[in-house]
């Protein structure tokens, strides 16, 4: 085949085709090769090629030795000096009849118009996009797992915060810490060591520290027999400090994931310390208020032939003193007076009014104690004149020892309960009168009954039977059921049974109780009591 025939055959091809000698000299080129201005006959590939001369020489040598078309690549200089890449197929031109060996090279420009290049670039772009998406998905999974873990930790921390916020006493705080702090810290378990003397100091020298039943913490201020046992295994001890006072130590047994971050551990410890400090103040103020309340209650006289037991307990959710009182009056050989009452409200003003009421009542009873209606009439007028805005429920009872007759007046107060030796009981549901104080010149109606041999009389304030969202009738039914359970008990045990007849109940108000059981002297069941009768038994 001649050069003319070569040019005729390759003239219509869309891509460049050249004939090149072994030394790189271009012998012929078809019209499509004009896309590279200098790619024409008489030009050396070494002058146009951007590749290393050794690489080009080796490639030309390979094509000259081949009997079949072999792929390759060339980078040539364009007319503006830019680099142009070509995908090549080179083969020895066996039809060449001229001097030397020549190579026929088919050139395909590697640009966006080249479908192979475009496809390759699309595949590459797709691979990069897939890699980016996989990376983003992995990062998203990591973020999602981290978010779930953070949300779970926040939920556990919220549970701890909620449990601490609803805990008023030290025992409740310690129970909340035991139940929720380990989860909040991702720990196996936690324990508390508290300084009880710092939290609830003793009230006076020589007084013993208060003990808590079922204590769930180690009291650092209570002496132990022997050395204090050390915590088993690897532990972390975190100081509990609130208001610059170290109230104890939180002992953390780490879980499988190790110790929580210092910031998280500090946040949990601060919450626990504040709750412990708050509960200690509550306990201390509650004890002071209870002691003040007890000091305001009158000291009962010893009365022959009368067994008496009293109890007082502050409300569960109150640290303030209240206005509950009870009192007993030895009027004469035949008559005994009893009173019970409650000034409406809580706080020092009510406690002060209660203290003045008990003093005023003793003065009133000295003058007219055998006339119950007059006693409460004068008490009501006293409240109306000197304590405007205050109101009190009250009951005054007069017991006649020779006949066991009982007359009584109830000024808005719950009915007293009469309890038989066999546990049977009945309420004194006599006439009801208005509370003392708010109504001037109020009239108080008299009720009457007779106590059977061995019957006891329970006086109480409404805190004993009152429960939130419950009618008083249910509370009164519980008292009659408690009386049945107390058959055969002495007055002290029976009074204690009534005080705690619902040990797990939430008492919204103070409870004051007076339980009295008259009995005749051994020598005369119905006569005047002798001086050898049993002395009063008192317990608060």
């Amino acid at each position: 085949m001649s050069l003319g025939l070569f040019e005729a055959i390759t003239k219509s091809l869309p891509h460049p085709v050249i004939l090149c000698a072994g030394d790189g000299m271009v012998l012929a080129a078809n019209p499509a090769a004009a896309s590279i201005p200098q790619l024409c006959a008489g030009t050396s590939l070494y002058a146009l090629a951007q590749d290393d001369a050794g690489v080009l020489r080796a490639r030309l040598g390979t094509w000259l030795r081949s009997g079949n078309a072999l792929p390759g690549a060339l980078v040539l200089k364009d007319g503006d000096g830019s680099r142009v890449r070509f995908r090549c197929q080179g083969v020895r031109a066996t039809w060449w009849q001229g001097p030397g060996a020549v190579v026929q090279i088919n050139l395909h420009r590697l640009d966006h118009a080249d479908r192979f290049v475009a496809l390759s670039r699309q595949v590459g772009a797709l691979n990069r996009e897939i890699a980016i998406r996989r990376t983003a998905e992995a990062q998203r999974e990591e973020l999602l797992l981290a978010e779930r873990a953070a949300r779970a930790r926040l939920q556990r921390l919220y549970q701890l915060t909620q449990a601490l916020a609803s805990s008023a006493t030290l025992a409740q705080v310690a129970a909340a810490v035991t139940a929720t702090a380990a989860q909040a810290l991702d720990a196996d378990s936690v324990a508390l060591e508290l300084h009880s003397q710092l939290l609830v100091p003793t009230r006076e020298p020589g007084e013993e520290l208060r003990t808590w039943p079922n204590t769930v913490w180690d009291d650092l201020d209570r002496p132990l027999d022997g050395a204090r046992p050390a915590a088993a295994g690897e532990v972390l001890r975190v100081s509990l400090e609130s208001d610059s006072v170290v109230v104890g130590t939180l002992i953390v047994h780490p879980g499988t994931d190790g110790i929580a971050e210092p910031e998280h551990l500090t946040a949990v410890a601060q919450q626990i310390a504040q709750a412990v400090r708050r509960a200690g103040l509550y306990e201390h103020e509650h004890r002071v208020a209870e002691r003040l309340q007890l000091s305001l209650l009158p000291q009962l006289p010893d009365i022959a032939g009368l067994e008496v037991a009293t109890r007082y307990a502050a409300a569960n959710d109150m640290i303030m003193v209240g206005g509950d009182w009870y009192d007993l009056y030895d009027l004469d050989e035949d008559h005994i007076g009893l009173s019970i009452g409650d000034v409406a409200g809580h706080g020092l003003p009510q406690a002060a009014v209660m203290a003045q009421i008990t003093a005023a009542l003793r003065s009133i009873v000295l003058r007219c104690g055998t006339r119950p209606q007059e006693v409460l009439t004068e008490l009501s007028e006293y409240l109306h004149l000197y304590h405007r805005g205050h109101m009190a429920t009250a009951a005054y009872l007069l017991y006649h020892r020779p006949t066991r007759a009982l007359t009584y007046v109830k000024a808005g107060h719950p009915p007293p309960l009469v309890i038989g030796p066999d546990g049977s009981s009945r309420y004194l549901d006599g006439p009801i009168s208005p509370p003392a104080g708010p109504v001037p010149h109020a009239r108080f109606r008299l009720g009457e009954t007779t106590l059977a041999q061995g019957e006891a009389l329970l006086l109480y304030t409404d805190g004993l039977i009152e429960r939130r969202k419950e009618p008083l009738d249910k509370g009164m039914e519980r008292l009659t059921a408690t009386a049945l359970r107390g058959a055969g008990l002495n007055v002290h045990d029976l009074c204690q049974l009534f005080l705690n007849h619902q040990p797990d109940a939430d008492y919204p108000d103070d409870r004051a109780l007076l339980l009295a059981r008259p009995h005749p002297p051994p020598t005369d069941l119905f006569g005047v009591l002798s001086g050898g009768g049993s002395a009063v038994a008192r317990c608060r």
Side-chain angles (χ1 to χ4, degrees), residues 2 7 26 28 40 75-76 141 227 292 297 305 342 356 376 380 385 415 430 432 444 473 492 500 504-505:
S2 62
E7 290 173 354
V26 178
C40 58
V75 180
L76 304 179
E141 286 294 329
L292 175 60
L297 291 172
D342 181 9
Q356 295 181 56
L376 284 194
S380 182
L385 289 174
I432 299 176
F444 298 93
D473 291 345
H492 308 292
N500 299 314
D504 298 328

Side-chain angles (χ1 to χ4, degrees), residues 54-137:
V55 174
L56 179 57
R57 186 177 300 108
R59 187 172 294 123
L60 287 175
T62 300
W63 286 335
L64 285 172
R65 293 188 300 271
S66 68
N68 298 311
L70 298 177
L74 285 177
V75 180
L76 304 179
K77 186 187 302 181
D78 203 349
D80 58 359
S82 60
R83 294 160 59 90
V84 181
R85 294 179 61 84
F86 289 91
R87 177 167 49 87
C88 308
Q89 282 184 328
V91 64
R92 179 178 179 179
T94 56
W95 53 266
W96 174 253
Q97 298 177 356
V102 297
V103 178
Q104 179 180 323
I105 304 174
N106 296 334
L107 301 172
H108 298 273
R109 187 165 182 154
L110 294 177
D111 55 15
H112 293 287
D114 186 87
R115 287 182 295 176
F116 177 80
V117 175
L119 181 60
S120 299
R121 291 181 176 178
Q122 288 177 359
V123 171
L126 182 60
N127 289 336
R128 288 192 297 273
E129 183 178 356
I130 291 174
I132 292 173
R133 288 185 177 182
R134 287 179 177 174
T135 302
E137 186 67 23

Side-chain angles (χ1 to χ4, degrees), residues 42 216 232 267 383 398 414 481:
V216 289
L383 279 173
L398 178 68

Side-chain angles (χ1 to χ4, degrees), residues 168-508:
T169 66
L170 285 171
Q172 291 172 346
V173 169
V177 170
T178 302
T180 60
Q183 293 82 354
L185 292 171
D186 296 323
D188 279 346
S189 62
V190 297
L192 276 178
E193 294 179 344
L194 300 181
H195 290 285
S196 62
Q197 191 65 269
L198 286 175
L199 296 169
V200 189
T202 53
R203 296 187 291 243
E204 58 188 26
E207 181 183 14
E208 292 184 359
L209 289 173
R210 179 174 180 172
T211 59
W212 288 268
N214 302 320
T215 301
V216 289
W217 73 86
D218 189 9
D219 190 348
L220 295 175
D221 296 329
R222 187 174 298 280
L224 299 176
D225 296 333
R228 192 173 300 277
E234 180 186 359
V235 297
L236 178 67
R237 305 178 69 89
V238 184
S239 178
L240 299 177
E241 182 176 342
S242 177
D243 299 331
S244 301
V245 177
V246 177
V247 296
T249 305
L250 177 67
I251 302 174
V252 181
H253 295 260
T256 55
D257 295 334
I259 298 172
E261 297 85 352
E263 296 80 5
H264 182 63
L265 186 61
T266 300
V268 171
Q270 287 177 347
Q271 286 198 41
I272 295 174
Q274 291 171 4
V276 167
R277 181 69 167 166
R278 182 178 64 248
L281 292 174
Y282 174 92
E283 296 257 6
H284 180 60
E285 292 176 5
H286 195 278
R287 291 173 62 189
V288 171
E290 186 176 7
R291 187 183 186 194
L292 175 60
Q293 180 76 53
L294 292 174
S295 69
L296 293 176
L297 291 172
Q299 297 295 317
L300 303 186
D302 294 337
I303 301 179
L306 188 68
E307 292 179 299
V308 176
T310 62
R311 294 291 188 277
Y312 172 83
N316 287 355
D317 56 356
M318 292 288 181
I319 63 170
M320 296 182 293
V321 292
D324 292 19
W325 86 86
Y326 49 73
D327 207 348
L328 187 66
Y329 316 94
D330 189 6
L331 302 178
D332 54 42
E333 291 184 353
D334 292 338
H335 296 92
I336 300 172
L338 307 95
S339 72
I340 187 82
D342 181 9
V343 178
H346 286 84
L348 287 174
Q350 285 72 23
V353 171
M354 178 270 287
Q356 295 181 56
I357 283 177
T358 56
L361 262 177
R362 289 193 167 185
S363 176
I364 294 171
V365 168
L366 281 177
R367 290 184 286 102
C368 54
T370 57
R371 300 184 294 279
Q373 291 168 296
E374 294 184 26
V375 170
L376 284 194
T377 297
E378 288 202 23
L379 176 63
S380 182
E381 293 300 319
Y382 168 78
L383 279 173
H384 183 72
L385 289 174
Y386 298 106
H387 298 284
R388 293 290 180 94
H390 289 282
M391 178 186 74
T393 66
Y396 179 77
L397 302 92
L398 178 68
Y399 177 68
H400 186 241
R401 285 186 275 197
T403 63
R404 297 197 297 273
L406 187 70
T407 55
Y408 59 91
V409 176
K410 297 180 299 176
H413 200 78
L417 184 65
V418 177
I419 307 165
D422 60 352
S424 61
S425 60
R426 57 189 171 91
Y427 284 102
L428 298 183
D429 292 325
I432 299 176
S433 303
V439 181
H441 312 297
R443 297 183 62 183
F444 298 93
R445 297 187 292 173
L446 188 68
E448 297 180 352
T449 189
T450 300
L451 296 184
Q453 181 70 39
E455 284 188 326
L457 183 64
L458 175 66
L459 309 183
Y460 57 92
T461 55
D462 57 2
L464 187 65
I465 57 175
E466 187 180 42
R467 300 292 179 274
R468 291 183 175 91
K469 300 180 180 180
E470 180 184 274
L472 289 180
D473 291 345
K474 288 190 176 181
M476 296 173 68
E477 291 173 1
R478 281 194 297 268
L479 286 194
T480 58
T482 303
L484 283 174
R485 299 202 313 269
L489 296 179
N490 60 46
V491 291
H492 308 292
D493 294 339
L494 186 57
C495 194
Q496 188 68 29
L497 177 65
F498 277 112
L499 180 70
N500 299 314
H501 71 284
Q502 271 192 299
D504 298 328
D506 180 20
Y507 292 94

